[in-house]
Tab-separated table of all heavy atoms in Angstrom:
chain	number	residue	atom	x	y	z
Q	28	VAL	N	-108.781	-78.282	135.066
Q	28	VAL	CA	-108.477	-79.610	134.543
Q	28	VAL	C	-107.155	-79.521	133.777
Q	28	VAL	O	-106.943	-78.586	133.007
Q	28	VAL	CB	-109.601	-80.109	133.604
Q	28	VAL	CG1	-109.259	-81.468	133.021
Q	28	VAL	CG2	-110.927	-80.141	134.336
Q	29	ARG	N	-106.287	-80.484	134.004
Q	29	ARG	CA	-105.005	-80.541	133.300
Q	29	ARG	C	-104.922	-81.856	132.553
Q	29	ARG	O	-105.247	-82.901	133.111
Q	29	ARG	CB	-103.858	-80.417	134.298
Q	29	ARG	CG	-103.810	-79.058	134.946
Q	29	ARG	CD	-102.838	-79.053	136.133
Q	29	ARG	NE	-102.870	-77.776	136.810
Q	29	ARG	CZ	-103.761	-77.446	137.749
Q	29	ARG	NH1	-104.681	-78.295	138.114
Q	29	ARG	NH2	-103.721	-76.262	138.320
Q	30	LEU	N	-104.489	-81.793	131.311
Q	30	LEU	CA	-104.386	-82.987	130.474
Q	30	LEU	C	-102.944	-83.086	129.978
Q	30	LEU	O	-102.559	-82.392	129.039
Q	30	LEU	CB	-105.370	-82.890	129.306
Q	30	LEU	CG	-105.503	-84.104	128.405
Q	30	LEU	CD1	-105.906	-85.345	129.200
Q	30	LEU	CD2	-106.522	-83.821	127.319
Q	31	PRO	N	-102.134	-83.933	130.625
Q	31	PRO	CA	-100.729	-84.035	130.219
Q	31	PRO	C	-100.537	-84.566	128.803
Q	31	PRO	O	-99.608	-84.157	128.121
Q	31	PRO	CB	-100.122	-84.997	131.238
Q	31	PRO	CG	-101.039	-84.947	132.413
Q	31	PRO	CD	-102.408	-84.697	131.836
Q	32	ALA	N	-101.420	-85.465	128.346
Q	32	ALA	CA	-101.234	-86.074	127.029
Q	32	ALA	C	-102.574	-86.343	126.356
Q	32	ALA	O	-103.191	-87.379	126.588
Q	32	ALA	CB	-100.440	-87.367	127.147
Q	33	PRO	N	-103.047	-85.430	125.508
Q	33	PRO	CA	-104.263	-85.712	124.733
Q	33	PRO	C	-104.041	-86.917	123.817
Q	33	PRO	O	-102.900	-87.255	123.485
Q	33	PRO	CB	-104.463	-84.442	123.905
Q	33	PRO	CG	-103.677	-83.392	124.600
Q	33	PRO	CD	-102.527	-84.099	125.248
Q	34	ASP	N	-105.113	-87.558	123.397
Q	34	ASP	CA	-105.009	-88.703	122.495
Q	34	ASP	C	-104.153	-88.354	121.278
Q	34	ASP	O	-104.312	-87.279	120.679
Q	34	ASP	CB	-106.396	-89.143	122.016
Q	34	ASP	CG	-107.199	-89.816	123.113
Q	34	ASP	OD1	-106.588	-90.245	124.123
Q	34	ASP	OD2	-108.426	-89.910	122.966
Q	35	GLY	N	-103.240	-89.254	120.943
Q	35	GLY	CA	-102.405	-89.081	119.770
Q	35	GLY	C	-101.181	-88.205	119.993
Q	35	GLY	O	-100.455	-87.905	119.042
Q	36	MET	N	-100.924	-87.775	121.239
Q	36	MET	CA	-99.762	-86.933	121.529
Q	36	MET	C	-98.848	-87.637	122.523
Q	36	MET	O	-99.316	-88.362	123.397
Q	36	MET	CB	-100.197	-85.580	122.103
Q	36	MET	CG	-100.990	-84.760	121.102
Q	36	MET	SD	-101.220	-83.066	121.624
Q	36	MET	CE	-99.549	-82.457	121.587
Q	37	ALA	N	-97.569	-87.398	122.389
Q	37	ALA	CA	-96.601	-87.937	123.344
Q	37	ALA	C	-96.834	-87.283	124.702
Q	37	ALA	O	-97.176	-86.100	124.780
Q	37	ALA	CB	-95.179	-87.658	122.867
Q	38	PRO	N	-96.672	-88.039	125.781
Q	38	PRO	CA	-96.852	-87.460	127.112
Q	38	PRO	C	-95.897	-86.282	127.345
Q	38	PRO	O	-94.745	-86.308	126.923
Q	38	PRO	CB	-96.511	-88.617	128.056
Q	38	PRO	CG	-96.672	-89.851	127.237
Q	38	PRO	CD	-96.334	-89.457	125.829
Q	39	ALA	N	-96.411	-85.292	128.018
Q	39	ALA	CA	-95.595	-84.124	128.363
Q	39	ALA	C	-94.687	-84.475	129.532
Q	39	ALA	O	-95.059	-85.240	130.408
Q	39	ALA	CB	-96.497	-82.956	128.736
Q	40	THR	N	-93.507	-83.913	129.531
Q	40	THR	CA	-92.573	-84.092	130.628
Q	40	THR	C	-92.392	-82.743	131.305
Q	40	THR	O	-91.812	-81.827	130.725
Q	40	THR	CB	-91.217	-84.624	130.119
Q	40	THR	OG1	-91.431	-85.848	129.423
Q	40	THR	CG2	-90.252	-84.846	131.270
Q	41	GLY	N	-92.916	-82.603	132.513
Q	41	GLY	CA	-92.738	-81.376	133.264
Q	41	GLY	C	-93.779	-80.308	132.990
Q	41	GLY	O	-93.618	-79.166	133.417
Q	42	TYR	N	-94.859	-80.624	132.292
Q	42	TYR	CA	-95.941	-79.686	132.027
Q	42	TYR	C	-97.135	-80.466	131.501
Q	42	TYR	O	-97.040	-81.652	131.239
Q	42	TYR	CB	-95.529	-78.603	131.016
Q	42	TYR	CG	-95.198	-79.143	129.642
Q	42	TYR	CD1	-96.159	-79.173	128.642
Q	42	TYR	CD2	-93.935	-79.647	129.353
Q	42	TYR	CE1	-95.858	-79.681	127.375
Q	42	TYR	CE2	-93.624	-80.151	128.100
Q	42	TYR	CZ	-94.592	-80.167	127.119
Q	42	TYR	OH	-94.299	-80.680	125.882
Q	43	SER	N	-98.273	-79.797	131.389
Q	43	SER	CA	-99.458	-80.390	130.760
Q	43	SER	C	-99.624	-79.774	129.381
Q	43	SER	O	-99.393	-78.577	129.206
Q	43	SER	CB	-100.709	-80.094	131.602
Q	43	SER	OG	-100.633	-80.761	132.837
Q	44	HIS	N	-100.026	-80.579	128.401
Q	44	HIS	CA	-100.281	-80.041	127.065
Q	44	HIS	C	-101.468	-79.090	127.065
Q	44	HIS	O	-101.482	-78.112	126.328
Q	44	HIS	CB	-100.540	-81.165	126.055
Q	44	HIS	CG	-99.305	-81.830	125.539
Q	44	HIS	ND1	-98.416	-81.201	124.718
Q	44	HIS	CD2	-98.813	-83.073	125.740
Q	44	HIS	CE1	-97.419	-82.025	124.417
Q	44	HIS	NE2	-97.635	-83.171	125.034
Q	45	VAL	N	-102.474	-79.402	127.885
Q	45	VAL	CA	-103.715	-78.634	127.892
Q	45	VAL	C	-104.169	-78.421	129.335
Q	45	VAL	O	-104.073	-79.327	130.160
Q	45	VAL	CB	-104.837	-79.381	127.132
Q	45	VAL	CG1	-106.107	-78.559	127.076
Q	45	VAL	CG2	-104.389	-79.785	125.741
Q	46	ALA	N	-104.667	-77.215	129.623
Q	46	ALA	CA	-105.294	-76.936	130.914
Q	46	ALA	C	-106.464	-75.998	130.667
Q	46	ALA	O	-106.386	-75.102	129.831
Q	46	ALA	CB	-104.287	-76.301	131.866
Q	47	TRP	N	-107.584	-76.226	131.374
Q	47	TRP	CA	-108.738	-75.347	131.236
Q	47	TRP	C	-109.491	-75.330	132.551
Q	47	TRP	O	-109.240	-76.129	133.444
Q	47	TRP	CB	-109.638	-75.784	130.085
Q	47	TRP	CG	-110.347	-77.085	130.296
Q	47	TRP	CD1	-111.556	-77.278	130.894
Q	47	TRP	CD2	-109.900	-78.390	129.906
Q	47	TRP	NE1	-111.892	-78.609	130.904
Q	47	TRP	CE2	-110.891	-79.310	130.307
Q	47	TRP	CE3	-108.764	-78.875	129.278
Q	47	TRP	CZ2	-110.762	-80.687	130.085
Q	47	TRP	CZ3	-108.649	-80.225	129.051
Q	47	TRP	CH2	-109.640	-81.115	129.444
Q	48	GLY	N	-110.421	-74.409	132.647
Q	48	GLY	CA	-111.219	-74.325	133.856
Q	48	GLY	C	-112.351	-73.331	133.705
Q	48	GLY	O	-112.523	-72.714	132.657
Q	49	THR	N	-113.112	-73.198	134.778
Q	49	THR	CA	-114.193	-72.237	134.813
Q	49	THR	C	-113.989	-71.324	136.011
Q	49	THR	O	-113.455	-71.745	137.037
Q	49	THR	CB	-115.562	-72.929	134.942
Q	49	THR	OG1	-115.563	-73.713	136.131
Q	49	THR	CG2	-115.856	-73.794	133.743
Q	50	GLY	N	-114.379	-70.071	135.879
Q	50	GLY	CA	-114.245	-69.138	136.988
Q	50	GLY	C	-113.687	-67.801	136.533
Q	50	GLY	O	-113.809	-67.414	135.378
Q	51	ARG	N	-113.033	-67.108	137.462
Q	51	ARG	CA	-112.460	-65.775	137.221
Q	51	ARG	C	-111.017	-65.923	136.746
Q	51	ARG	O	-110.205	-66.571	137.392
Q	51	ARG	CB	-112.514	-64.970	138.521
Q	51	ARG	CG	-111.908	-63.593	138.424
Q	51	ARG	CD	-112.160	-62.769	139.685
Q	51	ARG	NE	-111.971	-63.490	140.922
Q	51	ARG	CZ	-110.827	-63.484	141.637
Q	51	ARG	NH1	-109.781	-62.809	141.237
Q	51	ARG	NH2	-110.747	-64.160	142.765
Q	52	LEU	N	-110.696	-65.309	135.603
Q	52	LEU	CA	-109.355	-65.355	135.040
Q	52	LEU	C	-108.449	-64.354	135.752
Q	52	LEU	O	-108.837	-63.209	135.975
Q	52	LEU	CB	-109.391	-65.027	133.541
Q	52	LEU	CG	-108.052	-65.014	132.816
Q	52	LEU	CD1	-107.429	-66.411	132.815
Q	52	LEU	CD2	-108.225	-64.504	131.394
Q	53	ILE	N	-107.241	-64.806	136.077
Q	53	ILE	CA	-106.232	-63.953	136.707
Q	53	ILE	C	-104.994	-63.964	135.820
Q	53	ILE	O	-104.471	-65.032	135.501
Q	53	ILE	CB	-105.864	-64.469	138.107
Q	53	ILE	CG1	-107.097	-64.485	139.006
Q	53	ILE	CG2	-104.750	-63.629	138.722
Q	53	ILE	CD1	-106.917	-65.282	140.275
Q	54	ALA	N	-104.539	-62.786	135.416
Q	54	ALA	CA	-103.308	-62.656	134.622
Q	54	ALA	C	-102.259	-62.000	135.511
Q	54	ALA	O	-102.495	-60.928	136.070
Q	54	ALA	CB	-103.564	-61.796	133.393
Q	55	ILE	N	-101.097	-62.643	135.630
Q	55	ILE	CA	-100.012	-62.094	136.435
Q	55	ILE	C	-98.864	-61.734	135.513
Q	55	ILE	O	-98.349	-62.579	134.770
Q	55	ILE	CB	-99.553	-63.087	137.512
Q	55	ILE	CG1	-100.734	-63.389	138.450
Q	55	ILE	CG2	-98.363	-62.534	138.291
Q	55	ILE	CD1	-100.437	-64.399	139.507
Q	56	SER	N	-98.485	-60.479	135.562
Q	56	SER	CA	-97.372	-59.987	134.745
Q	56	SER	C	-96.107	-60.771	135.032
Q	56	SER	O	-95.936	-61.345	136.116
Q	56	SER	CB	-97.110	-58.512	135.059
Q	56	SER	OG	-98.201	-57.725	134.672
Q	57	GLY	N	-95.212	-60.763	134.068
Q	57	GLY	CA	-93.923	-61.410	134.249
Q	57	GLY	C	-93.229	-60.885	135.494
Q	57	GLY	O	-93.137	-59.676	135.699
Q	58	GLN	N	-92.770	-61.818	136.313
Q	58	GLN	CA	-92.088	-61.470	137.551
Q	58	GLN	C	-90.597	-61.745	137.420
Q	58	GLN	O	-90.187	-62.732	136.811
Q	58	GLN	CB	-92.660	-62.289	138.725
Q	58	GLN	CG	-94.130	-62.014	138.983
Q	58	GLN	CD	-94.359	-60.592	139.426
Q	58	GLN	OE1	-93.762	-60.104	140.387
Q	58	GLN	NE2	-95.236	-59.895	138.707
Q	59	VAL	N	-89.804	-60.849	137.986
Q	59	VAL	CA	-88.359	-61.008	138.028
Q	59	VAL	C	-87.930	-61.135	139.490
Q	59	VAL	O	-88.744	-61.026	140.401
Q	59	VAL	CB	-87.629	-59.832	137.328
Q	59	VAL	CG1	-87.918	-59.849	135.828
Q	59	VAL	CG2	-88.010	-58.503	137.953
Q	60	ALA	N	-86.642	-61.345	139.726
Q	60	ALA	CA	-86.130	-61.661	141.059
Q	60	ALA	C	-85.864	-60.421	141.910
Q	60	ALA	O	-84.758	-60.209	142.401
Q	60	ALA	CB	-84.871	-62.510	140.943
Q	61	LEU	N	-86.888	-59.610	142.097
Q	61	LEU	CA	-86.771	-58.465	142.998
Q	61	LEU	C	-87.493	-58.791	144.302
Q	61	LEU	O	-88.582	-59.362	144.281
Q	61	LEU	CB	-87.391	-57.218	142.369
Q	61	LEU	CG	-86.702	-56.679	141.120
Q	61	LEU	CD1	-87.475	-55.483	140.569
Q	61	LEU	CD2	-85.256	-56.292	141.418
Q	62	ASP	N	-86.885	-58.389	145.436
Q	62	ASP	CA	-87.557	-58.586	146.716
Q	62	ASP	C	-88.541	-57.447	146.959
Q	62	ASP	O	-88.718	-56.572	146.096
Q	62	ASP	CB	-86.539	-58.736	147.852
Q	62	ASP	CG	-85.748	-57.464	148.149
Q	62	ASP	OD1	-86.103	-56.369	147.656
Q	62	ASP	OD2	-84.753	-57.569	148.902
Q	63	GLU	N	-89.157	-57.444	148.126
Q	63	GLU	CA	-90.181	-56.450	148.437
Q	63	GLU	C	-89.646	-55.022	148.509
Q	63	GLU	O	-90.415	-54.060	148.505
Q	63	GLU	CB	-90.925	-56.806	149.735
Q	63	GLU	CG	-90.056	-56.811	150.975
Q	63	GLU	CD	-89.367	-58.150	151.244
Q	63	GLU	OE1	-89.316	-59.014	150.354
Q	63	GLU	OE2	-88.858	-58.317	152.369
Q	64	HIS	N	-88.313	-54.868	148.546
Q	64	HIS	CA	-87.696	-53.536	148.565
Q	64	HIS	C	-87.148	-53.138	147.197
Q	64	HIS	O	-86.493	-52.108	147.076
Q	64	HIS	CB	-86.584	-53.496	149.616
Q	64	HIS	CG	-87.056	-53.895	150.986
Q	64	HIS	ND1	-87.908	-53.123	151.747
Q	64	HIS	CD2	-86.823	-55.013	151.703
Q	64	HIS	CE1	-88.168	-53.741	152.884
Q	64	HIS	NE2	-87.535	-54.892	152.883
Q	65	GLY	N	-87.392	-53.975	146.184
Q	65	GLY	CA	-86.912	-53.678	144.840
Q	65	GLY	C	-85.455	-54.034	144.609
Q	65	GLY	O	-84.859	-53.598	143.631
Q	66	ARG	N	-84.898	-54.861	145.497
Q	66	ARG	CA	-83.498	-55.282	145.361
Q	66	ARG	C	-83.424	-56.639	144.670
Q	66	ARG	O	-84.229	-57.529	144.938
Q	66	ARG	CB	-82.829	-55.375	146.735
Q	66	ARG	CG	-82.641	-54.025	147.405
Q	66	ARG	CD	-81.870	-54.168	148.710
Q	66	ARG	NE	-82.580	-55.054	149.620
Q	66	ARG	CZ	-83.127	-54.675	150.772
Q	66	ARG	NH1	-83.046	-53.432	151.168
Q	66	ARG	NH2	-83.744	-55.556	151.537
Q	67	LEU	N	-82.428	-56.793	143.817
Q	67	LEU	CA	-82.211	-58.057	143.120
Q	67	LEU	C	-81.824	-59.147	144.109
Q	67	LEU	O	-80.943	-58.955	144.943
Q	67	LEU	CB	-81.112	-57.896	142.068
Q	67	LEU	CG	-80.709	-59.158	141.315
Q	67	LEU	CD1	-81.858	-59.665	140.450
Q	67	LEU	CD2	-79.481	-58.906	140.472
Q	68	VAL	N	-82.461	-60.299	143.984
Q	68	VAL	CA	-82.116	-61.483	144.770
Q	68	VAL	C	-81.338	-62.429	143.868
Q	68	VAL	O	-81.782	-62.733	142.759
Q	68	VAL	CB	-83.392	-62.178	145.304
Q	68	VAL	CG1	-83.057	-63.508	145.967
Q	68	VAL	CG2	-84.138	-61.256	146.250
Q	69	GLY	N	-80.163	-62.868	144.306
Q	69	GLY	CA	-79.400	-63.877	143.578
Q	69	GLY	C	-78.689	-63.399	142.328
Q	69	GLY	O	-78.831	-64.032	141.277
Q	70	PRO	N	-77.897	-62.329	142.415
Q	70	PRO	CA	-77.158	-61.898	141.220
Q	70	PRO	C	-76.332	-63.053	140.633
Q	70	PRO	O	-75.577	-63.704	141.354
Q	70	PRO	CB	-76.242	-60.789	141.734
Q	70	PRO	CG	-76.875	-60.319	143.007
Q	70	PRO	CD	-77.577	-61.523	143.583
Q	71	GLY	N	-76.541	-63.350	139.359
Q	71	GLY	CA	-75.791	-64.409	138.683
Q	71	GLY	C	-76.185	-65.822	139.064
Q	71	GLY	O	-75.573	-66.773	138.595
Q	72	ASP	N	-77.193	-65.997	139.904
Q	72	ASP	CA	-77.585	-67.311	140.420
Q	72	ASP	C	-79.003	-67.649	139.952
Q	72	ASP	O	-79.989	-67.182	140.537
Q	72	ASP	CB	-77.520	-67.279	141.954
Q	72	ASP	CG	-77.869	-68.612	142.595
Q	72	ASP	OD1	-78.399	-69.521	141.914
Q	72	ASP	OD2	-77.624	-68.739	143.819
C-alpha cells in the first residue's frame, strides 16, 4: 500500500510519504552503474 499524502500533509511529488505491506522483506544493497562485466556505464553521464 502506498499513501502519497497522509491526512494533514502536503501531497508528495514524485514519491509516496508512506508505504507498507505484508510478506517477505527484500533488502537490495546500493547499486552503482556497473554492467555485468564490472565496467562503468556512462562515465560522466
Side-chain angles (χ1 to χ4, degrees):
V28 178
R29 293 169 184 84
L30 186 57
D34 288 342
M36 295 192 66
T40 303
Y42 64 95
S43 293
H44 280 291
V45 183
W47 68 88
T49 58
R51 178 172 43 95
L52 179 65
I53 300 166
I55 299 177
S56 295
Q58 298 295 306
V59 293
L61 294 177
D62 68 12
E63 63 272 15
H64 305 291
R66 292 185 301 246
L67 176 66
V68 173
D72 182 347

